[in-house]
Amino acid sequence: VWVLEDDPLGPLDARRPEPVAALLPDRTCYVTSTAKVLALGLRIGVVAAPEGAYPDLAAAVRATTWLTAPLLGEVFTRWVDDGVADRIVAARRAAVQSRNAMAAEILAGPGVHADPAAPHLWLPLPEPWGVGQFTAAARDTGVLVSPGDEYITSRRQAAFGVRVGLNADIDDDMLRRALLSLVSLIHTSPRGSNG
């Protein structure tokens, strides 16, 4: 059995356990990305895998993607070699923790429990809000959230919440205003409801 370990956000959590790839290196393909932890525009995927998996991985990449710009690969390699990548990840960790603290404070009333290392959080929705209604109403106020239905594992249960991203390329004041807008929205009734 092969293990495909997808870990695009792992570097943001200094407390995380060793990856599965460290425990089962001869059967694990470890996949990560640079965009969410280094720079949103640095769109490079990274795979660490046993040498025997290289031919199949190379064939899969050729069949499913276009060529990555060589300049992006050069930037990534230099950042890793000269320590810039480590400094950026450390700064991102600090920013995510700070934004989580802000979000936990602002969204405390609606029952949010944030993980200090996560660049997003789950916002449960009170009745009578539906996920689609709230997502649309938030968008109308200029705030984008992801509907919880995109994150459920079974269609037999509904998701009564939305995912709020904290890693957007906006300043902290703009994020604070967006979070306050969500709190204000939660305390109103959806259009068309009798509540």
Side-chain angles (χ1 to χ4, degrees), residues 82-180:
D82 65 14
V84 169
D86 289 335
R87 291 193 295 278
I88 292 172
V89 168
R92 281 254 192 232
R93 283 179 183 158
V96 164
Q97 287 178 350
S98 173
R99 285 180 167 206
N100 259 290
M102 176 198 315
E105 178 185 326
I106 292 171
L107 299 172
V112 166
H113 300 285
D115 180 329
H120 50 265
L121 56 82
W122 184 257
L123 177 61
L125 298 176
E127 289 188 36
W129 279 108
V131 172
Q133 289 173 309
F134 188 83
T135 302
R139 184 180 53 242
D140 289 346
T141 68
V143 180
L144 299 178
V145 294
S146 297
D149 297 340
E150 294 178 5
Y151 304 98
I152 60 172
T153 57
S154 169
R155 297 230 181 251
R156 286 177 280 200
Q157 69 182 61
F160 296 105
V162 295
R163 181 174 149 167
V164 179
L166 304 173
N167 203 23
D169 194 13
I170 59 173
D171 64 38
D172 287 353
D173 288 337
M174 187 176 282
L175 177 62
R176 178 178 294 282
R177 287 191 301 274
L179 294 170
L180 289 169

Side-chain angles (χ1 to χ4, degrees), residues 9-18 93 96-97 100 114-118:
L9 297 172
L12 292 178
D13 190 351
R15 312 158 304 166
R16 72 183 176 147
E18 280 192 290
R93 283 179 183 158
V96 164
Q97 287 178 350
N100 259 290
D115 180 329

Side-chain angles (χ1 to χ4, degrees), residues 2 9 17 22 34 46 61 69 74 83 100 109 136 138-139 194:
W2 281 90
L9 297 172
T34 58
V46 179
V61 168
E74 181 68 22
N100 259 290
R139 184 180 53 242
N194 296 326

